[in-house]
Amino acid sequence: MLPSYNTTAFHLCLLLLIALSGCNSSNTPEIPLAPVAGTVMADGEPVVKAMVTFFPNGDTIGKPSFGLTDETGHYELNFVDDRKGCLPGKHLVTISKFAQPDGSPFPKDMAPEMQTANGIEHIPARFSSSQQTKLYAEVSAEGGQFPFEISLK
């Protein structure tokens, strides 16, 4: 005797649930990150509200980490998945402060296209451009402090 339609559908659904049960993010291996922090100073003064980005370089493969400087120029890096840290290895580093012409941040309600039209980069391209920067960092598995002293002149 052939199985009924309902029994066959039940078994197909059961197989599908079993197959999908192994497809959650907890089975994805977590990429090990190293804690990275530091300060950014320009001509002896802290650089406030600048984005520090560590781009994997050379043999280091992966996604970048980034952090925003505070009022003292201090930053801590976060990986693209919001975990703290950075991939160990060699990195090209950029420091960027794209803001209003007076250096103040954009209003929260300003549309991104208006920010692009009205904003300017306050850090020279030799530090802010990934094509021109000469800033590099080698991050060990333990992480570390990476201070940067730049000149805006």
Side-chain angles (χ1 to χ4, degrees):
M1 176 174 193
L2 293 174
S4 72
Y5 175 76
N6 287 340
T7 305
T8 304
F10 172 77
H11 286 111
L12 286 174
C13 286
L14 186 60
L15 285 173
L16 182 62
L17 285 172
I18 291 169
L20 290 177
S21 68
C23 294
N24 63 32
S25 62
S26 66
N27 291 337
T28 304
E30 200 166 275
I31 299 168
L33 301 176
V36 171
T39 55
V40 178
M41 305 292 279
D43 306 311
E45 297 294 322
V47 179
V48 179
K49 302 277 187 214
M51 182 62 66
V52 179
T53 307
F54 279 46
F55 294 96
N57 189 263
D59 294 342
T60 306
I61 298 171
K63 296 184 179 180
S65 291
F66 53 90
L68 190 65
T69 60
D70 64 15
E71 299 299 318
T72 66
H74 181 263
Y75 70 91
E76 290 183 26
L77 293 184
N78 293 300
F79 195 58
V80 293
D81 63 4
D82 289 332
R83 290 185 294 141
K84 288 195 178 296
C86 178
L87 293 170
K90 296 178 182 176
H91 296 269
L92 176 131
V93 179
T94 61
I95 301 168
S96 174
K97 183 175 179 177
F98 191 77
Q100 295 190 78
D102 66 358
S104 63
F106 298 107
K108 293 188 188 299
D109 61 347
M110 182 181 272
E113 58 273 9
M114 291 301 294
Q115 292 178 17
T116 301
N118 295 313
I120 63 169
E121 178 59 63
H122 290 270
I123 306 292
R126 67 184 181 272
F127 307 116
S128 62
S129 166
S130 61
Q131 285 80 36
Q132 295 183 37
T133 187
K134 299 292 187 246
L135 300 174
Y136 292 92
E138 187 154 353
V139 178
S140 71
E142 293 78 33
Q145 294 287 318
F146 292 87
F148 294 99
E149 175 68 43
I150 64 173
S151 177
L152 302 180
K153 299 173 183 172

